[in-house]
Amino acid sequence: MTTTRTPAASKTRAPRGSARAALIAAAHATVRRQGYAATSVDEICAVAGVTKGAFFHHFESKEALGVAAAEGWTERARPMFELAPHNRLGDPLDRLLGHIDFRLAMLDGPTEDYTCFVGTMVQEAYATSDRIRAACEASINAYCEALAPDIQAAIDLYGVPDDVTAIGLAQHVQSVLQGAFVLAKTTNDPAIARGTVTHLKRYVRMLFGRD
């Protein structure tokens, strides 16, 4: 994910036609920094530089914005992952390890710059908003499904234990990343997250017999 710092509240309105995108970007920034429950509609409007009337023109509620922001998070991340240099490597295991290195390199700076918007939001809202839970599930599943083809190609080439599946390993990668973000929040330091993702890389190398 790209680094996104929470901007100061704008004193001018967003250009006409950009209000919806500005509100989604503001939600990404503020929720990553302080959580879904602690983020108000008024604050999102201030960060986005739009009026509250503009907010309700585009979204019927904060929940509706949360759903749209989860969908927007997937679209925001997709080109970054698809265009990463490791995708040009010929060996599928090298591409998978390159992806893990790519995620490892992101773990730097303030916590809100590298943690996951949907992972942060679903931890708070999964029991109170099924719409948000489902939108976050779809976003997380989209990540796993995008990673699975390279994993399957590596399985076909190198072989793994019979109970290992491509989607299962992709979900494990996602689980480690989300857990790493939580650990980083407990220390307010990305070092512990980098250590966890480094262990993930070691596990994948051993799983495929790459010493």
Side-chain angles (χ1 to χ4, degrees):
M1 62 198 69
T2 53
T3 56
T4 304
R5 300 185 185 278
T6 304
S10 173
K11 295 182 180 180
T12 60
R13 295 186 182 184
R16 190 171 184 177
S18 67
R20 188 178 189 278
L23 287 163
I24 288 174
H28 288 164
T30 53
V31 170
R32 289 167 82 191
R33 179 168 58 85
Q34 62 194 37
Y36 177 75
T39 299
S40 68
V41 169
D42 286 337
E43 183 173 15
I44 291 170
C45 290
V47 171
V50 305
T51 65
K52 203 165 182 178
F55 177 95
F56 286 108
H57 174 74
H58 292 284
F59 303 105
E60 63 184 15
S61 63
K62 178 183 168 184
E63 180 188 51
L65 171 60
V67 170
E71 295 167 351
W73 185 252
T74 304
E75 294 310 310
R76 169 180 169 170
R78 192 188 311 278
M80 177 183 62
F81 290 132
E82 289 179 349
L83 297 174
H86 62 263
N87 289 318
R88 296 193 290 271
L89 298 174
D91 187 305
L93 180 54
D94 286 339
R95 293 196 296 271
L96 175 58
L97 293 170
H99 176 81
I100 295 172
D101 283 336
F102 187 63
R103 299 306 304 260
L104 187 60
M106 294 180 186
L107 298 173
D108 194 22
T111 306
E112 64 268 22
D113 283 1
Y114 58 80
T115 50
C116 178
F117 169 75
V118 295
T120 298
M121 187 165 63
V122 77
Q123 288 177 59
E124 296 184 54
Y126 75 96
T128 56
S129 171
D130 197 57
R131 291 178 64 199
I132 286 178
R133 181 207 57 74
C136 293
E137 178 189 24
S139 180
I140 287 172
N141 283 345
Y143 172 86
C144 295
E145 289 167 1
L147 198 57
D150 277 342
I151 297 176
Q152 186 60 59
I155 289 173
D156 294 342
L157 185 61
Y158 290 96
V160 291
D162 291 341
D163 60 346
V164 176
T165 65
I167 195 65
L169 183 53
Q171 289 168 343
H172 178 65
V173 172
Q174 176 69 283
S175 297
V176 172
L177 291 170
Q178 295 294 343
F181 299 149
V182 171
L183 288 174
K185 289 174 181 177
T186 67
T187 60
N188 201 27
D189 187 342
I192 192 170
R194 289 196 292 268
T196 299
V197 178
T198 299
H199 281 301
L200 169 65
K201 184 178 179 181
R202 291 192 186 104
Y203 167 73
V204 170
R205 291 177 66 91
M206 288 189 292
L207 180 66
F208 286 95
R210 177 76 66 85
D211 56 24

